[in-house]
Amino acid sequence: MQRALIIGSSGGIGGALSKAIAARGVALDTLSRSQTGFDITDEGCVDAQLTELSGPYDLVLIATGALEIAGAAPEKSIRVLNAQAMADQFALNAIGPALVLRHAARLLPKGRRSVIATLSARVGSIGDNRLGGWTSYRASKAALNQIIRCAAIELSRSHKRSICVALHPGTVATPFTQKYLGRHPSVAPETAAGNLLRVIDNLQPNQTGHFYDWAGEQVPW
């Protein structure tokens, strides 16, 4: 890996990934709301800032997302679903990454292995859903997974060695998850970053278009 781009580099996982990648001596570009004014929910902003980057990048990692937006917590039941809260989840967790992915063909090299990945969540798996609840967040991540699948198929036609995947980082102790950890075991952002980079390092082009967890195990759609 010679060059990398981290989107969402000011977040807990994004920041830890940025530090880990920079420690490898990789040339690193970063985008985030607090550092560069990057708003992944603003189409004009996404296009303007990504157009300024020339690439090619061996790794593009989208580390944005949120469980709670504007004070709207994940729903315990579909009976309390709020249309605006659901739209906000889709804007941040699905549409935003899609706006980035439409630049993927220009940002990735054609002649060598490259990875473009976005952080998803196991609760976005339709096949793994046994509890219900969290409808807006789950649905936005399920939509993201479909977007990844579509982008991977298109990229593979022109970028034969590209790998486009969704990644589940596990439960990570960040402000993003603080209110929802409960009794669930969690790991530090630095540990999560190391786990994700090991998965990324070992991915092969024939694994493009799939969903993997922090241990490299495939997650059902």
Side-chain angles (χ1 to χ4, degrees), residues 8 20 25 29 42 70 73 87 90 106 110-111 114 127-128 136 144-145 187 197 220:
D29 288 330
D42 183 323
F90 271 77
R106 183 181 60 82
K110 282 191 175 183
S114 61
D128 193 53
S136 296
L144 172 63
N145 293 344
V187 299
L197 287 175

Side-chain angles (χ1 to χ4, degrees), residues 4-67:
L5 170 64
I6 304 295
I7 297 172
S9 57
S10 61
I13 300 175
L17 283 163
S18 298
K19 290 178 182 177
I21 290 170
R24 293 184 175 192
V26 175
L28 178 64
D29 288 330
T30 60
L31 297 174
S32 72
R33 185 188 294 270
S34 64
Q35 295 167 345
T36 67
F38 184 84
D39 181 356
I40 200 167
T41 67
D42 183 323
E43 183 175 10
C45 178
V46 172
D47 287 345
Q49 293 206 25
L50 289 180
T51 300
E52 292 179 358
L53 302 176
S54 58
Y57 294 100
D58 303 296
L59 171 65
V60 176
L61 209 158
I62 306 166
T64 54
L67 269 169

Side-chain angles (χ1 to χ4, degrees), residues 69-153:
I69 302 172
E75 312 94 344
K76 293 182 179 180
S77 167
I78 198 167
R79 294 190 299 272
V80 298
L81 187 145
N82 175 274
Q84 185 58 58
M86 191 174 199
D88 290 343
Q89 286 287 334
F90 271 77
L92 180 59
N93 293 324
I95 299 171
L99 295 176
V100 174
L101 283 162
R102 70 183 185 183
H103 291 265
R106 183 181 60 82
L107 294 174
L108 300 177
K110 282 191 175 183
R112 65 178 187 270
R113 177 188 179 274
S114 61
V115 177
I116 183 163
T118 186
L119 297 188
S120 187
R122 189 179 293 275
V123 296
S125 167
I126 296 172
D128 193 53
N129 183 0
R130 296 175 179 84
L131 296 174
W134 290 29
T135 303
S136 296
Y137 183 72
R138 285 184 186 272
S140 70
K141 290 297 189 179
L144 172 63
N145 293 344
Q146 180 70 284
I147 290 163
I148 283 287
R149 181 70 171 175
C150 290
I153 291 169

Side-chain angles (χ1 to χ4, degrees), residues 171-186:
T171 302
V172 185
T174 68
F176 178 92
T177 61
Q178 187 175 8
K179 290 171 58 176
Y180 305 96
L181 291 178
R183 291 174 291 178
H184 296 287
S186 61

